[in-house]
């Protein structure tokens, strides 16, 4: 399994001091968090993408490119890349460039985003959210897998004889996770292509996550990519830790109560009981996280949100120390116990290159339309498939 952290990059007043960090301070703090993640032995750092206050990460590739130059092992990801309002041509080029600069230590999470006004800011209509997701991702896959693309769709100008540059490193595109909080169509899309599915797993009860992951696993097997338990699953999570649980609750409460995303709503205790939010000791975080496997099965990636709601950088770095030194080593060991050998590891660039080389030597490899959905017909097929979850 891969363990790491993701950030949404919010600029929020610290309710205990009344101080709001500057955008510059917040950006630098995100870099410090990424470097600390590698220092304490985590595997992944993921940055969100937002184009509105109070968030600062409007250019994930710039941020991750800088972090790539400062790290050696850390896998760099997004949480999420907006497939609906970004031009798929620019996504193809930007992330291929980042992939080269980071020597393959890159994957990305595609998502629709949860900020409605972003659509018109980039010339789109939110009512086309799902069709945009389907069409744009289909084009992105073709741009990464075909040297010359001729394409025509509904939401952007046609392409004639177009080659996206640079080409993916070693001829292998970055691995893609499809991230969602509530859209079964996104789980369907991930299953259709045999990509990963990342359930945000923060705001909803475990039963919701169980249904979403279950749908993805079922459809992954339906499309012939393997058995349901071989589907590639990632989960989010949110924790706050101190040596004893009483101190954790007391310190985190004012941040929770004033957080833009869930403050002034349910109590901390109610929210913690109804969602995976865990506020307590490192052992409590371990115990709670291990229960995730009970309702999603063996999975490949666990990312934690640590730095939001105005928490000062010093506190976040302390959280990372506990996560890397006390929590993740135990989770690695415990999650490995009883894990079936046929359940795949989390994909990496090296494993994808190896798989591509193996496929190239396999004389029974099917044509590109069957393996990567890269023909024009795949857009219609995915669109038809995306209608299915409505009845689930």
């Amino acid at each position: 399994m891969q363990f790491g952290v993701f950030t949404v990059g919010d600029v929020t007043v610290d309710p205990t001091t009344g101080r709001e960090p500057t955008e510059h301070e917040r950006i630098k703090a995100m870099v410090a968090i990424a470097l600390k993640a590698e220092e304490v032995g985590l595997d992944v750092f993921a940055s969100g993408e937002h184009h509105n206050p109070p968030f600062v990460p409007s250019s994930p590739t710039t941020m991750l490119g800088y972090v790539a130059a400062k790290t050696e092992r850390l896998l760099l990801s997004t949480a999420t890349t907006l497939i609906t309002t970004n031009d798929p041509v620019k996504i193809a080029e930007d992330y291929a460039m980042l992939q080269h600069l980071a020597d393959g230590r890159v994957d990305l999470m595609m998502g629709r985003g949860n900020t409605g006004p972003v659509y018109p800011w980039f010339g789109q209509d939110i009512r086309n959210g799902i069709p945009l997701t389907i069409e744009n991702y289909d084009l992105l896959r073709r741009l990464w897998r075909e040297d010359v693309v001729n394409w025509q769709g509904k939401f952007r100008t046609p392409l004639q004889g177009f080659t996206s540059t640079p080409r993916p490193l070693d001829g292998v595109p970055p691995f893609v996770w499809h991230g969602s909080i509530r859209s079964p169509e996104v789980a369907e899309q991930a299953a259709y292509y045999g990509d990963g599915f990342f359930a945000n797993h923060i705001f909803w009860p475990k039963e919701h996550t169980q249904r979403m992951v279950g749908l993805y696993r079922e459809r992954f097997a339906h499309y012939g990519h393997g058995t349901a338990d071989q589907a590639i699953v990632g989960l989010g999570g949110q924790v706050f830790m101190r040596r004893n649980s009483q101190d954790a609750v007391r310190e985190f409460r004012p941040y929770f109560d004033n957080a833009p995303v869930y403050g002034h709503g349910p109590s901390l205790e109610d929210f913690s009981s109804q969602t995976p939010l865990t506020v307590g000791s490192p052992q409590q975080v371990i115990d709670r996280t291990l229960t995730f496997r009970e309702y999603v099965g063996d999975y490949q990636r666990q990312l934690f949100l640590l730095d939001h709601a105005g928490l000062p950088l010093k506190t976040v770095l302390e959280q990372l120390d506990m996560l890397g030194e006390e929590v993740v080593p135990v989770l690695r060991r415990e999650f490995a116990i009883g894990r079936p050998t046929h359940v795949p590891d989390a994909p990496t660039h090296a494993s994808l290159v190896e798989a591509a080389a193996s496929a190239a030597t396999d004389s029974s490899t099917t044509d590109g339309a069957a393996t990567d959905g890269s023909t024009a017909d795949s857009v219609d097929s995915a669109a038809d498939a995306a209608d299915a979850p409505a009845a689930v």
Side-chain angles (χ1 to χ4, degrees):
M1 281 183 67
Q2 294 172 344
F3 294 90
V5 292
F6 71 100
T7 177
V8 295
D10 62 310
V11 178
T12 304
V13 173
D14 183 334
T16 67
T17 65
R19 186 180 184 277
E20 179 178 303
T22 66
E23 290 182 329
H24 179 75
E25 289 172 331
R26 189 66 173 98
I27 291 167
K28 290 293 189 177
M30 292 166 64
V31 173
I33 290 164
L35 301 186
K36 186 69 170 181
E38 176 163 276
E39 177 189 321
V40 300
L42 301 186
D43 305 305
V44 184
F45 171 80
S47 170
E49 177 187 344
H50 295 275
H51 300 275
N52 57 293
F55 305 99
V56 293
S58 58
S59 180
T61 51
T62 304
M63 166 73 71
L64 297 178
Y66 183 82
V67 172
K70 298 282 187 178
T71 56
E72 297 180 357
R73 183 188 55 79
L74 195 65
L75 200 157
L76 308 172
S77 190
T78 57
T80 64
T81 299
L82 300 179
I83 188 63
T84 48
T85 51
N86 281 307
D87 183 355
V89 173
K90 198 70 171 75
I91 294 177
E93 294 177 337
D94 284 353
Y95 284 92
M97 176 67 79
L98 177 60
Q99 188 191 36
H100 281 272
L101 291 173
D103 295 322
R105 293 184 289 126
V106 172
D107 60 29
L108 65 163
M109 189 191 306
M110 297 293 180
R112 292 193 296 138
N114 57 12
T115 305
V118 74
Y119 284 82
W121 294 341
F122 289 88
Q124 300 296 348
D125 186 331
I126 193 172
R127 291 170 293 186
N128 295 325
I130 294 298
L132 277 164
T133 299
I134 293 167
E135 180 176 295
N136 284 354
Y137 184 59
D138 180 77
L139 175 56
L140 175 62
R141 288 181 63 88
R142 291 189 60 183
L143 292 167
W144 274 339
R145 289 165 171 79
E146 300 176 27
D147 289 337
V148 180
V149 173
N150 295 292
W151 178 92
Q152 183 169 349
K154 180 179 179 182
F155 298 108
R156 78 172 317 279
T157 53
L159 298 174
Q160 295 182 350
F162 180 77
T163 298
S164 174
T165 60
R167 305 304 298 146
L169 178 64
D170 300 319
V172 175
F175 184 75
V176 169
W177 303 81
H178 297 257
S180 179
I181 296 176
R182 61 187 178 274
S183 301
E185 295 91 345
V186 173
E188 180 75 31
Q189 185 182 42
Y192 177 78
Y193 290 109
D195 295 335
F197 178 64
F198 188 91
N200 184 278
H201 200 222
I202 287 181
F203 301 115
W204 291 68
K206 65 181 183 181
E207 291 80 9
H208 173 76
T209 298
Q210 184 179 37
R211 287 192 296 270
M212 291 283 282
V213 173
L215 170 65
Y216 162 66
R217 289 189 183 279
E218 175 187 337
R219 302 300 286 174
F220 181 95
H222 169 80
Y223 288 118
H225 301 299
T227 59
D229 60 352
Q230 291 177 314
I232 308 298
V233 173
L235 294 182
Q238 184 181 351
V239 300
F240 185 85
M241 295 173 285
R242 285 305 183 202
R243 294 301 170 194
N244 66 70
S245 59
Q246 293 86 354
D247 289 341
V249 170
R250 182 170 54 253
E251 184 175 346
F252 188 66
R253 188 183 300 280
Y255 295 96
F256 175 89
D257 288 344
N258 290 276
V261 292
Y262 48 47
H264 314 290
S267 69
L268 174 58
E269 287 76 13
D270 286 345
F271 200 87
S272 297
S273 67
Q274 296 167 14
T275 79
L277 170 64
T278 306
V279 180
S281 67
Q283 187 60 52
Q284 286 174 305
V285 169
I286 291 169
D287 293 342
R288 185 77 176 276
T289 305
L290 288 174
T291 68
F292 297 170
R293 181 164 60 174
E294 296 173 5
Y295 53 91
V296 303
D298 288 290
Y299 61 111
Q300 283 74 21
R301 174 176 286 186
Q302 176 66 58
L303 301 185
F304 294 101
L305 176 64
L306 301 177
D307 70 317
H308 75 132
L311 285 165
L313 177 60
K314 177 178 181 293
T315 300
V316 176
L317 297 181
E318 291 168 350
Q319 298 292 302
L320 279 163
D321 278 328
M322 286 185 280
L323 192 66
E325 295 170 7
E326 301 179 45
V327 174
V328 166
V330 178
L331 292 177
R332 289 191 198 280
R333 182 175 67 249
E334 293 297 320
F335 274 123
I337 296 173
R339 188 180 182 94
T341 57
H342 67 276
V343 172
D345 293 335
T348 63
H349 182 71
S351 69
L352 295 174
V353 169
E354 182 180 354
S358 176
T361 60
D362 185 353
S363 60
S364 64
T365 299
T366 57
D367 62 59
T371 57
D372 65 20
S374 61
T375 67
D377 289 342
S378 66
V379 177
D380 294 332
S381 298
D384 292 341
D387 290 335
V392 173

